Amino acid sequence: MSVISEYDSFADIYEVWTDTAASTGANLAFYVDAYVNAAGPVVELGVGDGRIAVAAAARGRSVIGVDLSTAMLERCRRRAESAGVGGRLTLLHADFRHFELAAPAGLIALPYHSLGHLTSVDDKRHALAHVFSQLRPGGRFVFDDFLMTPALIDHMRRVQLRAEYRSTAGVDTLLWVTSLVDPASQSIKVVTWEDQLDTEGTLCQRRYRRLSLSWLEPSQARTLLTDAGFVVEACFGDFAGTPFSDATAHEQVWIARRPL
Ligand SMILES: C[S@@+](CC[C@H](N)C(=O)[O-])C[C@H]1O[C@@H](n2cnc3c(N)ncnc32)[C@H](O)[C@@H]1O
């Protein structure tokens, strides 16, 4: 497949990106528990560098990881091998909307706001219908989405220093981020740039990377799930399993089931 993914250029900063993100600790624990406790096969869509899948594999769970980015899949493969669990991961280079499983899944997960990488509602609808088709009756689909609020929009629009580190070549590096957020189209363009500094602190190189994202309002997510044939078992407002409420939620975490 010759599709170029935005993540092919994002892959080399993905680990620092997730290490410095607000929700990755909580979403990691939530999804690893879900994978370990599910009846298999377990599939992670948008497996990325295996941050979640490899942790689940280290607890004995076999995971099928699907991703469109060859660079992310390569990182995932290396992470699994260095953790000694390469044999528990099956990696598929495919789109959320087209992956084909050898056997129907017991759990399909789409963590870390990744449905938002499909930026049109139609694409999301196709993805949910496809996920439904790849689950066995009684199988579950679990995903999370941004809960977009005015405060989160303000936060995303700010220029933030995300991290300070030495690059693999030993160069002093600053990672910055801001986002263009368009509430009318529910779309987000994340813009990051890495500044590499010489020993005097002078900027010698700047590299930009961009990610296209989007979000669903909770009512849209519920409608898309039920239109695809799912029964919604739960919607949480965080990764601790707190029932969703407008007053307290800061994520949307959906648990849906293909009926028997
Ligand atoms: C935010 S990362 C999540 C990675 C991992 N699940 C985690 O939680 O760290 C999103 C991943 O989805 C993949 N992705 C984006 N759009 C995709 C698509 N249409 N089909 C398959 N994978 C896709 C990207 O390549 C990337 O690895």
Side-chain angles (χ1 to χ4, degrees):
M1 188 188 288
S2 62
V3 177
I4 303 289
S5 159
E6 290 175 326
Y7 275 90
D8 288 338
S9 86
F10 213 80
D12 56 356
I13 58 164
Y14 191 72
E15 196 167 343
V16 68
W17 184 255
T18 50
D19 283 352
T20 54
S23 61
T24 43
N27 73 18
L28 174 70
F30 172 85
Y31 283 105
V32 170
D33 281 351
Y35 297 5
V36 169
N37 294 320
V42 169
V43 177
E44 182 176 332
L45 302 180
V47 70
D49 69 350
R51 181 180 72 92
I52 298 169
V54 172
R59 285 179 51 189
R61 164 56 71 193
S62 292
V63 179
I64 300 164
V66 176
D67 208 288
L68 203 51
S69 161
T70 49
M72 292 299 273
L73 286 171
E74 178 54 22
R75 279 178 186 263
C76 184
R77 191 187 58 72
R78 273 193 261 141
R79 184 190 277 242
E81 276 169 12
S82 39
V85 297
R88 294 205 188 111
L89 253 68
T90 304
L91 299 179
L92 301 180
H93 182 212
D95 190 283
F96 302 151
R97 293 158 292 180
H98 309 298
F99 64 99
E100 292 293 335
L101 302 176
L107 173 70
I108 298 181
L110 181 49
Y112 202 13
H113 311 147
S114 301
L115 183 63
H117 287 304
L118 301 176
T119 52
S120 79
V121 174
D122 260 358
D123 281 342
K124 292 179 212 267
R125 187 175 290 116
H126 287 143
L128 295 197
H130 189 67
V131 167
F132 187 92
S133 76
Q134 298 296 302
L135 280 169
R136 62 172 163 68
R140 290 195 169 83
F141 174 47
V142 180
F143 76 103
D144 59 89
D145 202 350
F146 296 102
L147 179 63
M148 204 49 86
T149 60
L152 182 55
I153 293 174
D154 283 352
H155 175 75
M156 287 182 142
R157 284 176 171 160
R158 278 188 219 131
V159 173
Q160 299 155 56
L161 178 60
R162 182 68 175 254
E164 180 193 32
Y165 50 92
R166 296 229 162 246
S167 72
T168 43
V171 181
D172 187 12
T173 305
L174 301 174
L175 178 65
W176 301 87
V177 61
T178 190
S179 299
L180 298 169
V181 184
D182 179 21
S185 60
Q186 296 176 207
S187 66
I188 306 163
K189 178 72 80 173
V190 177
V191 181
T192 71
W193 59 103
E194 252 188 332
D195 281 344
Q196 297 206 328
L197 312 178
D198 67 16
T199 50
E200 306 293 313
T202 304
L203 177 64
C204 39
Q205 188 175 313
R206 171 171 287 174
R207 177 169 172 197
Y208 284 93
R209 297 173 178 84
R210 280 174 282 210
L211 288 179
S212 305
L213 274 163
S214 61
W215 73 91
L216 291 170
E217 294 300 328
S219 58
Q220 292 175 299
R222 186 176 289 276
T223 301
L224 285 181
L225 285 167
T226 51
D227 284 357
F230 287 104
V231 172
V232 174
E233 287 191 333
C235 178
F236 302 131
D238 57 33
F239 290 104
T242 309
F244 187 93
S245 124
D246 286 333
T248 57
H250 46 88
E251 295 274 353
Q252 331 174 28
V253 185
W254 292 91
I255 318 284
R257 186 170 45 77
R258 175 174 171 154
L260 286 170

